[in-house]
Amino acid sequence: MSIHLNEDIIEEIRSRNEIVDVISRYIQLNKSGRNHKGLCPFHHEKTPSFMVSEEKQLYHCFGCGEAGNVINFVMKVENLDFLDTVTLMGQWVGIHVEEISSTKQEKEEISRKNKIYEINREAALFYYRNLSKEKNLGFTYFKKRGLQDNTIKKFGLGYAEDQWEALNIHLLKRGYDQELIFQAGLVLERKSKDGFYDRFRNRVIFPIINTTGNVLGFGGRSLDDSLPKYLNSPETLVFNKGNNLFGLNLAKKEVGKDKRIIVVEGYMDVISLHQYDIKNVVASLGTALTKNQGELLKRYSDEIIIAYDSDAAGQKATLRGLDVLGELGCKVRVVRLTEAKDPDDFIKHKGKEAFLKEIEKALPLIDYKILLAKMDNNISTTDGKIKFVKAVAALLKQVKSPVEVDAYIKKVAMESQISEEAIKREIFGNNAYNQLNPIQKPIQNRDKYRSKSDRYTNKYNVQSVQPVQPAQKQGYLEAERSLLKLMIQNKETFSKIKIAIGHEDFTDSINRKIAKVIYDLYNIQEQNVDMNMLLNHLDIEEIKTLGDIHQIFISEEYLEKALIDFINTIHNHRLREERRLIETELSQLGKKENKTQEEIVRIRELCTNLEKISKELQKL
């Protein structure tokens, strides 16, 4: 069932969670003009560009573009869906969502979800207490794996005894409903339909906990020959293994200055690395990385290190994960643990420092794939060289950076003893390298400063560049923002613009405000104005526009011509707007039958002005 909370409830929760107070729980905010400023929690940065408006109760990151209200912030930073976010924020201010939902169905749905969280927590405690008993198979297993008591406690590890209904009986005694225990995925229904039995039996238990501390589900490893060896909770109202990562609740606080997360395959890999004080590590819950897990990793880290098992299955999982992360634009590197089967085994035999050295030696995504291609083909033979180069060429076709492609071509040519030109032709065909023509990019990007209706159809031909025609529709807004970009960080350019245009000539109110701040700052200082100076003088809506301005690219090669085009576009728009107002007034005066002397004089004045404007427009 889809939950639709009453808008009044949502607004009440939002308004009672003051945005500066909430965000200050996660990052340090400092007063900056009319706003608060801090380091963005959604991307790595050294200079604060994350702005919070107490007045408008909104946030906006000038660096990465993330923006929204306090609910949006908590949803993103805690990786929660809307309902869980509102429920959590309601609890912070003493509002119980399930008690004030607008319909009976909504109350039941929210109550059921909260009950499943509660049942899972009780189950986790039950399994943990079982493990705490002396002389049980679960405790013996973890001790053989080298785990210390404080590690067991930190992860809330547990033991499901070899009994059919131990957990189910315990939960029923605690007063929980049988149907809800079933919906939590903790029990299975008997084939005879006359009862239920525990899903996890004779297994050590790994609770899967989200970033707010709720137990979502469990993983269990068998202690005998039972299959599967690893068993996860099924998908439930609160758990989807493709949307979560084991250990993220701990790792999110340990990513460090480098904003780096290590991804491993198994629960024990995560736990062992933690015990050796490597805590920025998560596991993908026994599946190949999904897109949602990739988005989660990207949210908390700038770099992702894959450290899967060294066997064939691990390599396959690594490649699948690399493809997912590559599509999301993540910075990825791969660890090759050739001296151990998995991170758990490696760190126990080699220690923390050796593992960290392997992390530093981790291969970038393309290098790893090239290495695998080399391992699959014997490049000491002619046939092996050909297959190797063809495999690498297929990889390099997907790489967007000309610099990267060129570097890899040189590397592969040396290893295979096949010429660079031959490899280029294999990648690009007989046009070899036309795709990387460095002229194309500046010409393409410089068109960003004009409206779509005004761009050239033959924009890739340098010889055909023509004067910019007057911008149509919203082109003048693009011109205004492009001029603002040019004024920032270059006082010499600002001086040229100031001669032709004043801040009052900017039509858009936000552009005009930003221009006024730039003009004022240059009046009181000698150095260049930069983006960070402006942030202190703008409100949250104006900062959003400043973020758009920051993204504008104008090629240095065409700077002088662009400058003239922008100024002409703004003058053109101003003159056309003046002409429209004159024509409107002339039309109104022309409809009058008995005109006064003053009106006749006014008509003549308007006609003179109209003629002047027409002549000025012809010059542009």
Side-chain angles (χ1 to χ4, degrees), residues 590-606:
K591 291 175 184 178
K592 290 192 174 183
E593 292 183 3
N594 300 313
K595 299 177 181 64
T596 65
Q597 186 61 35
E598 289 80 4
E599 288 170 339
I600 293 171
V601 171
R602 179 59 177 162
I603 289 171
R604 288 173 182 165
E605 182 185 347
L606 290 172

Side-chain angles (χ1 to χ4, degrees), residues 306-338:
I306 302 287
Y308 281 175
D309 296 358
S310 58
D311 58 15
Q315 283 191 8
K316 264 188 176 179
T318 298
L319 285 171
R320 288 197 299 271
L322 287 174
D323 289 338
V324 168
L325 296 171
E327 287 174 11
L328 292 171
C330 300
K331 182 182 177 184
V332 189
R333 291 194 292 138
V334 183
V335 173
R336 296 187 68 244
L337 299 175
T338 54

Side-chain angles (χ1 to χ4, degrees), residues 204-247:
V204 285
I205 299 296
F206 304 88
I208 300 164
I209 302 169
N210 71 4
T211 54
T212 59
N214 286 317
V215 180
L216 305 176
F218 301 89
R221 187 204 185 279
S222 64
L223 295 172
D224 52 26
D225 296 328
S226 300
L227 294 176
K229 183 178 178 181
Y230 280 95
L231 177 67
N232 282 329
S233 292
E235 292 199 1
T236 69
L237 194 60
V238 302
F239 178 60
N240 180 315
K241 66 181 180 180
N243 292 343
N244 295 280
L245 293 158
F246 178 75

